[in-house]
Amino acid sequence: MMQNVTILLFITVFFSGALGSKAECTYKAVGDTFMIPLNDAEEEIPPDSDLTWTHNGTIVYSKKGSHVKIKTHNINTRGSLILEKLQIIHSGEYKAEGFNGDGTSLKGSSLQLCVRDPVLEPTVTVKCEESGAVLTCGAPNNTETNVVWIKNRNEMLNVTNTVLRVDSSELKHRFSCTVRNEISKKTSNDVQPGCFHTGPTSEKSDEKNNNNNDWSKETYLFGLDLWWTLVIVTGVGIVMLIVFCLLCVCWQKKGRKAREEEEYRLTALVTSDQSDQTTERSERLAKSQRPLPPVPGPRCPPSPPYM
Ligand SMILES: *[C@@H]1O[C@H](CO)[C@@H](O)[C@H](O)[C@H]1NC(C)=O
Ligand SMILES: *[C@@H]1O[C@H](CO)[C@@H](O)[C@H](O)[C@H]1NC(C)=O
Ligand SMILES: *[C@@H]1O[C@H](CO)[C@@H](O)[C@H](O)[C@H]1NC(C)=O
């Protein structure tokens, strides 16, 4: 009976139905502390008053004057029932009844309490199928949850199942889901289905589906291949270019040096052919002009013959 009421309330809250229900549930999370007010008066109750609190019809607090008979939960000076560290079992109907010392009613209220576990963060699992994928929003141990799917950060308001079917043209989008109950809300991480659609399944079934699969598989694989090929080719190309340039510089230096040396040698030869008088001087000159011993520099490979 109570369960029916709860379900009705759930529907009322989530579908904004105009179902007039007497006992509206007050939702609280497991672990919370909650105080149920005795009435709206918010006044201290006189010490000589009698007061009884019931939960599902069972007395959880009772006093006659200053004599406390049952105290499953505490009350405060205003007669409010204090529920600490709420558990699911604390759900249900709470009623207060009391009288002042002079016999007048304390006008106790009643309240329907619904204690809920906060939802756990859901995860989206992907099951690749022939013509797309099946996404499941997994929220462990959650009942009475409300699922909203999110595609590329936009809520898909027309989908409220825990299972979402996605066709192959949508596999590149990002999906996540939000699970909520009356007291909490959690959203999963984004998932990009990215099914490859390989395997034996693509051989059977009707032609239209197969065409779809081949298309999505080809573009996906081609995109991946092209990307990596580009990266590798570019990398190798750059490295080769750098090596080639270094070699060029080396060879050029070597070639120039060789040419210069030859020139000096030629000059020396020409000067030594002249008269004896000038030989000494020219020899000195040649000596002074002869290049210095080579400075140790970058080691270069032997010059190719065409340089
Ligand atoms: C009281 O009733 C509610 C249903 O309305 C139930 O969920 C809860 O467990 C019950 N609690 C006790 C202590 O009987
Ligand atoms: C989920 O419920 C099972 C029992 O139904 C329990 O063993 C498990 O610890 C629960 N998991 C979480 C995360 O609460
Ligand atoms: C939900 O609506 C969108 C457009 O707003 C549409 O593209 C999509 O197919 C619909 N999904 C379902 C399951 O009806």
Side-chain angles (χ1 to χ4, degrees):
M1 197 56 201
M2 279 305 201
Q3 225 164 1
N4 283 346
V5 172
T6 313
I7 289 166
L8 211 69
L9 283 167
F10 181 76
I11 291 164
T12 313
V13 167
F14 277 98
F15 300 99
S16 317
L19 301 164
S21 182
K22 262 194 282 176
E24 215 172 283
C25 225
T26 300
Y27 291 96
K28 291 289 159 190
V30 166
D32 280 1
T33 292
F34 180 54
M35 236 186 283
I36 307 176
L38 173 61
N39 51 38
D40 299 332
E42 302 256 326
E43 283 168 358
E44 299 214 343
I45 55 167
D48 62 347
S49 59
D50 300 342
L51 179 60
T52 302
W53 273 101
T54 59
H55 173 213
N56 291 358
T58 304
I59 296 169
V60 291
Y61 182 88
S62 171
K63 86 176 184 79
K64 276 204 180 295
S66 56
H67 176 57
V68 177
K69 294 202 290 193
I70 295 168
K71 202 172 94 171
T72 311
H73 301 289
N74 250 320
I75 60 161
N76 66 10
T77 54
R78 293 187 204 104
S80 308
L81 189 71
I82 302 164
L83 303 175
E84 284 177 326
K85 292 185 184 145
L86 283 173
Q87 302 293 311
I88 302 288
I89 194 85
H90 293 145
S91 300
E93 189 185 38
Y94 289 83
K95 269 186 181 162
E97 205 170 51
F99 299 95
N100 288 314
D102 59 8
T104 57
S105 174
L106 275 173
K107 292 191 187 101
S109 59
S110 74
L111 180 133
Q112 190 72 32
L113 179 66
C114 294
V115 182
R116 293 280 184 270
D117 271 315
V119 292
L120 299 172
E121 188 181 308
T123 48
V124 175
T125 50
V126 179
K127 189 165 162 271
C128 294
E129 292 205 332
E130 261 176 75
S131 57
V134 173
L135 310 188
T136 306
C137 183
N141 294 4
N142 285 333
T143 53
E144 290 195 335
T145 47
N146 187 281
V147 174
V148 173
W149 284 95
I150 299 148
K151 179 174 142 190
N152 299 331
R153 311 224 167 262
N154 297 313
E155 285 196 358
M156 302 169 80
L157 293 172
N158 50 356
V159 190
T160 53
N161 293 331
T162 52
V163 173
L164 176 68
R165 217 162 263 278
V166 170
D167 66 48
S168 49
S169 65
E170 293 184 297
L171 294 177
K172 60 186 181 296
H173 297 301
R174 306 194 70 84
F175 293 90
S176 60
C177 68
T178 294
V179 164
R180 70 183 94 202
N181 66 4
E182 301 85 352
I183 52 119
S184 62
K185 171 184 169 180
K186 293 262 167 63
T187 301
S188 75
N189 289 329
D190 272 1
V191 162
Q192 201 171 4
C195 293
F196 285 86
H197 288 124
T198 51
T201 48
S202 53
E203 267 139 44
K204 50 180 181 174
S205 190
D206 58 299
E207 223 173 289
K208 198 184 159 201
N209 263 350
N210 269 340
N211 285 346
N212 260 352
N213 282 346
D214 287 349
W215 178 81
S216 74
K217 169 180 140 193
E218 224 173 288
T219 46
Y220 199 90
L221 277 177
F222 183 62
L224 201 76
D225 272 353
L226 188 71
W227 172 247
W228 281 110
T229 310
L230 263 177
V231 166
I232 290 163
V233 165
T234 312
V236 168
I238 287 171
V239 167
M240 278 176 79
L241 201 71
I242 289 169
V243 167
F244 186 73
C245 284
L246 282 176
L247 285 179
C248 276
V249 169
C250 267
W251 287 333
Q252 248 172 8
K253 249 192 207 157
K254 240 190 153 174
R256 203 184 306 133
K257 211 186 233 168
R259 241 177 286 127
E260 272 170 19
E261 245 166 70
E262 214 166 320
E263 262 170 43
Y264 286 135
R265 235 177 288 135
L266 219 70
T267 319
L269 218 70
V270 168
T271 0
S272 64
D273 269 358
Q274 285 175 2
S275 70
D276 287 349
Q277 276 178 332
T278 53
T279 310
E280 239 180 16
R281 196 150 52 92
S282 65
E283 252 174 16
R284 236 182 287 136
L285 196 77
K287 217 178 259 174
S288 70
Q289 274 178 351
R290 202 163 287 152
L292 291 166
V295 181
R299 221 182 295 163
C300 297
S303 318
Y306 54 83
M307 275 204 149

